[in-house]
Amino acid sequence: MTDLSPLALPFPDLPPVAGVRLGIARAGYKAWDRADLTYAAFDEGTVVAGVTTQSLCPSPEVEWCRAALVLGHARALVVNAGNSNAFTGHRGRAAVEAIAARVAGTTGCRPSDVFVASTGVIGVPLPIDRAEAGIDAVLAAPPASWADAAATIMTTDTFPKGAVTHAIVDGRRVTLIGIVKGSGMIAPDMATMLGFVFTDCAITSPLLQAMLAEANATTFSCITVDGDTSTSDTVLAFATGQAGNAPLDSDEAPAADAFRAALIDLCRMLAQAVVRDGEGASKFVTIAVTGAKSNASARRIGLSIANSPLVKTAIAGEDANWGRVVMAVGKAGEPAERDLLSIRFGDTQVATAGMAVEGYDEAPVAAHLTGREIEIGVDIGLGDGAATVWTCDLTHGYIAINADYRS
Amino acid sequence: MTDLSPLALPFPDLPPVAGVRLGIARAGYKAWDRADLTYAAFDEGTVVAGVTTQSLCPSPEVEWCRAALVLGHARALVVNAGNSNAFTGHRGRAAVEAIAARVAGTTGCRPSDVFVASTGVIGVPLPIDRAEAGIDAVLAAPPASWADAAATIMTTDTFPKGAVTHAIVDGRRVTLIGIVKGSGMIAPDMATMLGFVFTDCAITSPLLQAMLAEANATTFSCITVDGDTSTSDTVLAFATGQAGNAPLDSDEAPAADAFRAALIDLCRMLAQAVVRDGEGASKFVTIAVTGAKSNASARRIGLSIANSPLVKTAIAGEDANWGRVVMAVGKAGEPAERDLLSIRFGDTQVATAGMAVEGYDEAPVAAHLTGREIEIGVDIGLGDGAATVWTCDLTHGYIAINADYRS
């Protein structure tokens, strides 16, 4: 298998979330000797929110979740790794329905309370018999940890990814835990990859949905590995309401600010962890765009830079080739004026007012580029729009992984 | 230097074009031992048309050509290789003006009759003294061949690229010759790379412009190597009018059809030659999209597939991973219905009506993918829109070339 990403982070200590129980099992979706089915059970009263891929070819799991999200209640989550079940027609839909029915029939909840996500190869129907046997096994299995769950949802990921934040809401300390998987086919439009957030905060489903969409806009939707958008991208947030706070039901409640900030922090950590596990990544790249016509314009310019193969290979080669950044701004299709453009690498301004900074010191730039954490700043010079985008470099590792990967 | 592309074509025998004389010289824009300045002189009466990059950060050469194209007359073309002179502010503009002035002063034409194009690293002002000395040298040099000119405009290209077509116009046989350079930073929006077309046909400048724009739309604008759009993309067409035909001045003249067809054929051959020299390319890929809502929609879907790193690496790995084609259709942002989508590799239908073709024969697909020429067909199932897009695969060679390349 692929080597551990050099940008990998250790898995954090994650406390339990009241009202959430985890399990893992081996359904055998691929010929591998590892657990590949993750299960989370939620106490009654748990509400759910979610954002899903903008792909016009979504998986049946995505369609199932969209329909169930309308009702806003959750009792279970099933995540299958090794097979995305996408583009499998009626057989794929039948597999999702069978999973929801099996969980509902065994645990006594409604099928619409069961959320399903799958990740892996596209085009192969998820085998219903293995899924059902896996669910039977996981319901009989001992409790699993966050680390177990984060490892079990992985596919080409090289390390499990999780994060925790807290907020004081209504005098109560609430906990937010997130786990995420993703490494390639990462270019979120609305959401990306599979990400799951769990909190004991009491909050209404519509407010959780609004806050998740807001957090997504500046976190998951601001990362890219390869510009490719998955058919299965899903981020779901589950709130069990057991923290004891008076339920949050309005964006204007003072306590909402604390929860929102904690949710955005959590999503940012998870999104950055995905970039740190980008296929073949050797450097973590932060692209800060300022001075654009709007925040949305700044984000699109940032993603144009972050998705440019020539920018990404220059970073891999530790080459301060800022001309490629100019190129990527020029092709973004957003308002820009060549002669107002400024670019910095790390703390060094390398270009300003449409040309190179006369005699800028290349030494700190070269030193910055040899590091693992690269920062590129671009000022468009036209307005107040700003956005930060995260990506990784493009290396031989990406080619090696993707010229061979298939089940 | 980089090895010859395995997709390279031999340079064709190209006849002279009456009214065009070529020259090459070594200006020394880089520390290399080769000619890097190409010159073409045109007889009086030559008209010109052109299409240039859609980049919002165009080079001063592009701005110069745009202004000169309005007048529609040409007496000289100067092409500098090894330095694009892009993003160099007032110094870059001064270099272009100096080149035009030197040619005009020496040959007696107007500066606005001199067209200039440069290609190479971004951000380094073109040295005026070397350009002027190079022009003096080339004006004193013996005549050069088409092969000389095609080789002298190259940068990371691994082989010189040229093509010829003919048309019978008004009973006269007219000749169209094209040369082109380009290998990376190839994702034309309107035009791409540097391409030059020379013909002896008598034709008005506005008609030549309209026909070049039309030819560009289905040729240069339908290729991509890496999705990156150059700051210097320029295609210019020069018509000396010495073939003896009655001047073409209307799109509706019967003779216009023959010239238009020959121009489109020429541009297609040149565009495909650029893909065959795509950085790191090992396979030439034709993507034919049918059944889209419009031709423009089909082209955007085709480019979404052609620019997907996951599709390109699958082809490099000779992997019939059509799920990645589904993904690329889904992210294109164009009308598509998952359950109407059909996909073929070579002549084998692999997916139809939103799922895999039951038990399709993998042997001919695998055999097709081991070849040098790959064909992917995608039917959207919604309308009559069609487009064909050409690209290459994404290999370790691309990374090797671009993680190191800089002057």
Side-chain angles (χ1 to χ4, degrees):
Chain A
M1 287 302 294
T2 315
D3 291 339
L4 180 67
S5 167
L7 307 173
L9 300 172
F11 196 78
D13 275 331
L14 301 182
V17 171
V20 180
R21 291 173 310 286
L22 302 171
I24 62 169
R26 182 177 174 281
Y29 294 124
K30 291 180 66 171
W32 53 16
D33 186 26
R34 50 161 274 195
D36 51 11
L37 188 152
T38 307
Y39 186 80
F42 307 111
D43 282 357
E44 197 152 358
T46 297
V47 302
V48 61
V51 285
T52 54
T53 184
Q54 295 289 290
S55 170
L56 289 168
C57 297
S59 69
E61 281 79 348
V62 165
E63 294 181 321
W64 177 270
C65 288
R66 285 177 186 162
L69 280 165
V70 175
L71 303 174
H73 297 284
R75 295 300 306 278
L77 167 68
V78 176
V79 186
N80 306 300
N83 184 328
S84 78
N85 196 39
F87 211 68
T88 53
H90 60 85
R91 291 209 260 158
R93 286 190 287 278
V96 178
E97 286 164 16
I99 288 169
R102 190 73 155 210
V103 172
T106 310
T107 67
C109 71
R110 285 168 303 193
S112 61
D113 289 335
V114 181
F115 287 75
V116 186
S118 300
T119 173
V121 69
I122 293 172
V124 180
L126 195 77
I128 292 177
D129 52 344
R130 293 187 186 192
E132 289 178 336
I135 287 164
D136 293 347
V138 83
L139 290 174
S145 67
W146 291 117
D148 292 335
T152 304
I153 64 174
M154 295 186 354
T155 56
T156 56
D157 306 63
T158 74
F159 64 94
K161 294 175 269 292
V164 57
T165 57
H166 298 281
I168 304 298
V169 178
D170 184 31
R172 304 286 176 141
R173 184 172 192 258
V174 306
T175 299
L176 297 89
I177 298 278
I179 61 174
V180 67
K181 68 85 54 181
S183 184
M185 207 176 278
I186 298 292
D189 191 359
M190 183 165 201
T192 184
M193 352 121 310
L194 302 183
F196 305 104
V197 174
F198 308 88
T199 179
D200 52 8
C201 187
I203 183 169
T204 63
S205 171
L207 182 57
L208 185 61
Q209 179 66 41
M211 287 189 175
L212 182 65
E214 181 190 341
N216 173 67
T218 58
T219 59
F220 296 117
S221 287
C222 286
I223 64 171
T224 184
V225 169
D226 51 14
D228 276 345
T229 301
S230 165
T231 50
S232 307
D233 292 341
T234 302
V235 175
L236 298 174
F238 302 94
T240 64
Q242 300 194 7
N245 61 294
L248 287 177
D249 62 358
S250 160
D251 211 19
E252 276 139 47
D257 287 339
F259 184 78
R260 182 192 298 106
L263 183 62
I264 291 173
D265 279 352
L266 185 80
C267 290
R268 186 184 300 112
M269 284 191 273
L270 294 172
Q272 292 187 356
V274 171
V275 170
R276 287 181 185 280
D277 207 6
E279 289 173 341
S282 77
K283 294 176 190 289
F284 179 85
V285 186
T286 301
I287 298 168
V289 178
T290 54
K293 278 278 194 189
S294 68
N295 291 351
S297 179
R299 173 176 166 269
R300 285 191 287 267
I301 291 169
L303 287 172
S304 178
I305 299 166
N307 278 321
S308 159
L310 290 171
V311 171
K312 293 165 87 80
T313 48
I315 292 167
E318 303 184 348
D319 175 6
N321 195 326
W322 54 266
R324 295 181 181 178
V325 177
V326 173
M327 176 279 298
V329 173
K331 76 165 182 168
E334 292 296 319
E337 279 282 353
R338 181 189 59 198
D339 295 345
L340 296 176
L341 199 57
S342 296
I343 297 168
R344 70 177 161 81
F345 277 69
D347 296 326
T348 309
Q349 205 72 32
V350 296
T352 192
M355 55 195 293
V357 172
E358 191 95 34
Y360 75 83
D361 186 0
E362 292 204 23
V365 175
H368 181 72
L369 286 169
T370 61
R372 288 271 184 227
E373 313 274 328
I374 308 300
E375 192 172 329
I376 299 175
V378 176
D379 192 84
I380 306 298
L382 286 180
D384 295 325
T388 301
V389 165
W390 299 278
T391 192
C392 54
D393 54 345
L394 174 58
T395 69
H396 286 289
Y398 184 87
I399 307 293
I401 292 166
N402 286 301
D404 291 329
Y405 170 69
R406 199 171 173 218
S407 69
Chain B
M1 287 302 294
T2 314
D3 292 340
L4 180 68
S5 167
L7 307 173
L9 300 173
F11 197 79
D13 275 332
L14 300 182
V17 171
V20 180
R21 290 172 311 285
L22 302 172
I24 62 172
R26 182 176 173 282
Y29 294 124
K30 291 180 67 171
W32 54 16
D33 185 25
R34 48 161 275 196
D36 51 10
L37 189 153
T38 307
Y39 186 81
F42 307 111
D43 283 357
E44 196 153 358
T46 296
V47 302
V48 61
V51 286
T52 54
T53 185
Q54 294 289 290
S55 171
L56 289 167
C57 297
S59 69
E61 281 80 347
V62 165
E63 294 181 321
W64 177 270
C65 286
R66 285 177 186 162
L69 280 166
V70 174
L71 303 174
H73 297 284
R75 295 301 305 277
L77 167 69
V78 176
V79 186
N80 306 300
N83 185 328
S84 78
N85 195 37
F87 211 69
T88 53
H90 59 87
R91 290 211 261 159
R93 286 188 288 276
V96 178
E97 286 163 15
I99 287 170
R102 191 71 156 211
V103 172
T106 312
T107 67
C109 69
R110 286 168 301 193
S112 61
D113 289 334
V114 181
F115 286 76
V116 186
S118 300
T119 174
V121 69
I122 293 172
V124 181
L126 194 79
I128 291 177
D129 53 343
R130 293 187 185 193
E132 289 177 338
I135 287 164
D136 293 347
V138 83
L139 290 174
S145 67
W146 291 116
D148 292 335
T152 303
I153 64 174
M154 296 186 355
T155 56
T156 57
D157 307 63
T158 74
F159 63 94
K161 294 174 268 293
V164 56
T165 57
H166 296 281
I168 303 299
V169 177
D170 184 32
R172 303 287 177 140
R173 184 170 190 260
V174 305
T175 299
L176 297 89
I177 298 277
I179 61 174
V180 66
K181 69 83 52 181
S183 183
M185 208 176 277
I186 297 294
D189 192 358
M190 183 165 201
T192 184
M193 349 121 313
L194 301 183
F196 305 104
V197 174
F198 308 88
T199 181
D200 51 8
C201 187
I203 183 170
T204 63
S205 172
L207 181 57
L208 184 61
Q209 180 65 42
M211 285 189 177
L212 182 64
E214 180 189 343
N216 174 66
T218 57
T219 59
F220 296 118
S221 286
C222 285
I223 63 170
T224 183
V225 168
D226 52 14
D228 276 345
T229 302
S230 166
T231 50
S232 307
D233 292 341
T234 302
V235 175
L236 299 174
F238 302 94
T240 62
Q242 301 195 5
N245 60 295
L248 286 177
D249 62 358
S250 159
D251 211 18
E252 275 140 48
D257 287 338
F259 183 78
R260 181 193 299 105
L263 182 62
I264 292 174
D265 279 352
L266 185 81
C267 289
R268 185 184 301 112
M269 283 190 275
L270 294 172
Q272 292 187 356
V274 171
V275 170
R276 287 183 185 280
D277 207 5
E279 288 173 340
S282 77
K283 293 175 191 288
F284 179 86
V285 186
T286 301
I287 298 169
V289 178
T290 54
K293 279 278 195 189
S294 67
N295 290 351
S297 178
R299 172 176 168 269
R300 284 191 288 266
I301 291 169
L303 286 172
S304 178
I305 299 166
N307 278 321
S308 160
L310 290 172
V311 170
K312 294 164 87 82
T313 48
I315 293 167
E318 305 186 345
D319 175 6
N321 195 327
W322 54 267
R324 294 180 180 177
V325 177
V326 173
M327 176 280 298
V329 173
K331 75 164 183 169
E334 291 297 318
E337 280 281 352
R338 182 189 58 196
D339 296 345
L340 296 177
L341 199 58
S342 297
I343 298 168
R344 71 179 161 80
F345 278 69
D347 295 326
T348 308
Q349 204 72 32
V350 295
T352 190
M355 54 196 292
V357 172
E358 191 94 35
Y360 75 82
D361 187 359
E362 292 205 22
V365 175
H368 182 72
L369 286 168
T370 61
R372 288 271 183 227
E373 313 273 328
I374 308 299
E375 191 173 327
I376 298 176
V378 175
D379 191 85
I380 305 298
L382 286 179
D384 294 325
T388 299
V389 165
W390 299 277
T391 191
C392 55
D393 54 347
L394 174 58
T395 70
H396 286 290
Y398 184 87
I399 308 293
I401 292 166
N402 286 300
D404 291 329
Y405 169 70
R406 199 171 173 219
S407 71

